[in-house]
């Protein structure tokens, strides 16, 4: 039987406004729930590595081990390689991959990590089965995803309400699930994991600098990124409506009392030490 392949379209693309956010991410602000489980000699697979900032931090944390970083988009891997090279890391390698059909043998990695990935894939349960397959018995699958419906802000803004409604419609039309955070535990259980620790954490943007950065990148993303093209091309919004949403973002960013919180669901799934088969039967 042919192996499953990705069917969803990545909503954001890799416009500068998207990478402005992605390159800000670190292991500390995006994978804190995992860090206490790492030891220096581990072999890690980082799925959906993007520009490689989290990857590089993970490689620093396993100096006697190795990190393999993969992404579905070949172009972004050049930036990830540059990030590793700038930091002088020699224990990391990069490859193009599809999380639904990883090109690694069973039981290869101590840890398989994915940050903001499952919300964008066509079959998140299948992806978790595949991540489980390449994890060693007793090893960990660590996943963190935002949950758009749980994002909240102050003060109220009809324009940001429009943004949230539009983003969720576009993401789902592309085959993803923007409210992934709340679903992670359910997906993990469906994928065959029996030892799942589910937690949550937030990013919060409230200072003048944080508001300017967060609102600016979303305003630019709304009118200039692949997301903008998919919103218009898919008939979800007009260019005028996108400009109105971008204005609402900038207006919110200028509010001294502005506050925005991004909720993330997190799961640490330990593969049963007796689980030495593949995950197809899960």
């Amino acid at each position: 039987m042919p192996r499953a392949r990705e069917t969803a379209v990545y909503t954001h693309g890799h416009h500068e406004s998207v990478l402005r956010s992605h390159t800000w991410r670190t292991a500390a602000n995006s994978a804190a729930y995992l860090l206490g489980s790492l030891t220096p000699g581990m072999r890690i697979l980082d799925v959906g590595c993007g520009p490689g900032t989290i990857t590089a931090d993970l490689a620093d944390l396993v100096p006697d081990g190795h990190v393999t970083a993969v992404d579905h988009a070949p172009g972004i891997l050049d930036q990830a390689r540059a990030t590793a090279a700038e930091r002088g890391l020699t224990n990391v390698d990069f490859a193009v991959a599809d999380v639904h059909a990883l090109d690694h043998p069973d039981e290869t990695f101590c840890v398989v990590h994915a940050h903001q990935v499952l919300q964008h894939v066509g079959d998140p349960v299948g992806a978790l089965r595949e991540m489980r397959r390449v994890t060693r018995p007793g090893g960990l699958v660590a996943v963190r995803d935002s949950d758009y419906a749980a994002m909240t802000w102050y003060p109220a803004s009809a324009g940001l309400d429009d943004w949230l409604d539009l983003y969720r419609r576009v993401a789902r039309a592309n085959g993803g699930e923007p409210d992934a955070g709340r679903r992670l535990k359910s997906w993990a259980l469906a994928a065959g994991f029996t030892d799942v620790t589910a937690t949550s954490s937030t990013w919060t943007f409230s200072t003048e600098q944080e508001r300017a950065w967060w609102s600016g990148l979303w305003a630019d993303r709304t009118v200039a990124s692949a997301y903008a093209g998919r919103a218009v091309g898919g008939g979800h919004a007009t260019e005028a409506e996108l400009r109105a949403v971008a204005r609402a973002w900038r207006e919110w960013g200028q509010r001294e009392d502005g506050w925005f919180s991004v909720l993330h669901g997190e799961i640490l799934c330990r593969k049963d030490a007796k689980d030495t088969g593949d995950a197809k039967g899960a």
Side-chain angles (χ1 to χ4, degrees), residues 14-280:
H14 292 99
H15 184 265
E16 181 277 331
S17 59
V18 178
L19 294 180
R20 205 181 308 166
S21 170
H22 290 187
T23 55
W24 166 82
R25 297 172 183 172
T26 65
N29 67 29
S30 300
Y33 71 106
L34 167 64
L35 302 188
S37 300
L38 300 182
T39 57
M42 282 182 161
R43 186 172 184 186
I44 299 174
L45 176 66
D46 189 21
V47 177
C49 67
T53 51
I54 297 175
T55 304
D57 285 349
L58 294 176
D60 270 334
L61 292 167
V62 292
D64 301 323
H66 191 86
V67 178
T68 295
V70 298
D71 202 282
H72 198 244
I76 197 61
L77 291 175
D78 289 338
Q79 186 165 344
R81 291 186 183 97
T83 299
E86 288 169 4
R87 292 176 57 167
L89 297 168
T90 58
N91 62 334
V92 59
D93 67 279
F94 300 89
V96 176
D98 181 346
V99 68
H100 298 91
L102 295 169
D103 193 20
H104 299 282
D106 295 357
E107 304 173 17
T108 299
F109 300 98
C110 307
V111 174
V112 179
H113 167 263
H115 184 263
Q116 309 283 39
V117 173
L118 293 191
Q119 64 183 282
H120 298 295
V121 306
D123 181 5
V125 173
L128 280 163
R129 287 195 186 109
E130 185 69 351
M131 294 164 73
R132 175 181 154 219
R133 179 186 67 80
V134 301
T135 302
R136 296 173 181 172
L140 292 170
V141 171
V143 176
R144 185 177 191 253
D145 266 277
S146 55
D147 193 301
Y148 277 76
M151 293 184 188
T152 189
W153 57 85
Y154 185 86
S157 166
L160 292 192
D161 289 342
D162 291 342
W163 159 76
L164 181 58
D165 173 70
L166 174 62
Y167 180 82
R168 293 171 78 211
R169 286 189 283 115
V170 173
R172 288 185 173 132
N174 287 337
E177 176 45 71
D179 303 341
R182 70 189 64 193
R183 292 172 164 82
L184 294 182
K185 182 179 180 181
S186 175
W187 288 343
L189 294 173
F193 288 101
T194 58
D195 184 351
V196 181
T197 300
T199 56
S200 65
S201 61
T202 60
W203 292 334
T204 301
F205 306 99
S206 65
T207 69
E208 181 178 3
Q209 182 179 11
E210 290 166 348
R211 294 193 316 272
W213 179 77
W214 185 243
S215 64
L217 70 85
W218 267 109
D220 292 344
R221 192 181 300 192
T222 297
V223 296
S225 70
Y227 159 68
R230 287 166 183 144
V232 174
H236 305 288
T238 65
E239 291 183 358
E241 288 169 334
L242 293 184
R243 289 194 295 272
V245 168
R247 284 195 300 273
W249 268 113
R250 295 194 187 280
E251 289 168 1
W252 171 85
Q254 293 170 1
R255 290 288 302 255
E256 184 179 4
D257 58 350
W259 177 92
F260 198 107
S261 184
V262 180
L263 178 73
H264 296 82
E266 304 158 344
I267 50 171
L268 277 178
C269 310
R270 187 169 298 279
K271 185 173 179 178
D272 192 307
K274 297 179 180 179
D275 183 355
T276 58
D278 66 28
K280 294 178 182 177

